[in-house]
């Protein structure tokens, strides 16, 4: 696990499943506009949370690319789910700014609720086709930029499905934040 601390916030990358983040106050959903179940992260979260989540989501939909909304975690081990609609790569433009908004808006909702720990998947990098390394750069740069202004959030975790995605995030994190564990390694 690579982790760095920026402005008192720990940022870490792990390989795993977003629905198994025990001990985290909130997990983030790579949602669809209708906030329904689907493939990938959204399917896993709705399956694990149970039907109460879709019910709570219904009046909050639809959401726009870059937007985030928050619900309870239902049967998940987390108190909250923050649902973000990432941009479809090559369609929702400017995709880097919309992706950055997802992370900023998710963290701002977390702050409003006094959340201390948030676990993110790599939003938009599955069905929505955002190249992993570009997405990792946008996500981590945004989080590193916002971290010093966060008062409540103390731990931000990226949960990556496979080893290649983990490695990409670790390399980008080490590059963007030279004080990280991997500082100096090539
Ligand atoms: N835990 C962590 N990461 C995961 C998991 C998991 N359980 N499952 C997949 N990933 P995606 P998007 C990775 O497609 O691109 C849905 O159908 C996956 O390998 O979930 O934002 C929704 O309904 C990829 O790297 O989200 C939307 O319609 C990343 O998580 C649409 O897909 C995101 O993949 C959203 O597309």
């Amino acid at each position: 696990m690579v982790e760095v601390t920026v402005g008192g916030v720990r940022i870490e990358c792990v390989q795993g499943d977003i629905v198994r983040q025990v001990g985290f106050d909130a997990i983030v959903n790579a949602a669809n506009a209708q906030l329904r179940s689907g493939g990938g992260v959204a399917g896993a979260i709705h399956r694990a949370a149970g039907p109460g989540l879709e019910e709570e989501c219904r009046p909050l939909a639809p959401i726009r690319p870059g937007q985030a909304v928050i619900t309870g975690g239902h049967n998940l081990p987390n108190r909250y789910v923050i649902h973000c609609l990432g941009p479809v790569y090559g369609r929702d433009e400017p995709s880097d700014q919309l992706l950055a908004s997802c992370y900023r808006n998710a963290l701002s909702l977390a702050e409003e609720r006094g959340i201390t720990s948030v676990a993110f998947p790599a939003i938009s990098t599955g069905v929505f086709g955002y190249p992993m390394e570009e997405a990792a750069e946008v996500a981590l740069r945004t989080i590193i930029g916002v971290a010093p202004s966060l008062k409540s959030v103390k731990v931000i975790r990226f949960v990556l499905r496979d080893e290649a995605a983990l490695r990409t995030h670790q390399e980008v994190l080490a590059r963007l934040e030279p004080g990280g564990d991997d500082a100096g390694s090539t």
Side-chain angles (χ1 to χ4, degrees):
M1 173 158 70
V2 165
E3 60 172 69
V4 303
T5 302
V6 180
V9 179
R10 193 166 88 220
I11 304 171
E12 58 186 41
C13 304
V14 302
Q15 189 178 348
D17 188 336
I18 194 71
V19 299
R20 292 174 171 268
Q21 303 307 310
V22 175
F24 274 71
D25 295 340
I27 61 169
V28 174
N29 184 12
N32 50 67
Q34 297 304 325
L35 301 174
R36 297 213 183 97
S37 188
V41 168
I45 287 179
H46 279 274
R47 272 194 303 278
L53 181 60
E54 253 192 13
E55 217 167 283
E56 188 183 355
C57 281
R58 207 166 295 130
L60 304 175
I63 61 170
R64 298 177 308 280
Q67 200 184 343
V69 294
I70 188 164
T71 65
H74 298 264
N75 297 336
L76 284 160
N78 318 95
R79 185 156 180 213
Y80 297 104
V81 179
I82 300 172
H83 308 259
C84 294
L85 179 61
V88 175
Y89 193 71
R91 190 190 80 186
D92 299 320
E93 301 287 358
S95 56
D96 57 341
Q97 287 176 35
L98 292 169
L99 187 60
S101 294
C102 286
Y103 289 93
R104 253 197 306 274
N105 289 332
L107 289 171
S108 131
L109 286 174
E111 285 282 298
E112 280 172 23
R113 300 292 175 113
I115 286 167
T116 62
S117 50
V118 188
F120 285 93
I123 298 169
S124 282
T125 63
V127 173
F128 284 177
Y130 215 116
M132 190 63 74
E133 187 169 353
E134 279 181 47
E137 283 190 17
V138 170
L140 287 162
R141 196 178 299 118
T142 303
I143 284 172
I144 289 169
V146 170
S149 67
L150 298 176
K151 295 190 165 50
S152 160
V153 175
K154 297 291 174 214
V155 184
I156 299 173
R157 168 178 282 187
F158 274 86
V159 182
L160 291 321
R161 197 75 183 114
D162 57 54
E163 206 182 323
L166 173 65
R167 208 172 312 120
T168 300
H169 281 73
Q170 288 174 333
E171 284 166 9
V172 171
L173 182 56
R175 176 153 34 89
L176 292 178
E177 175 48 42
D181 291 355
D182 272 10
S185 71
T186 48

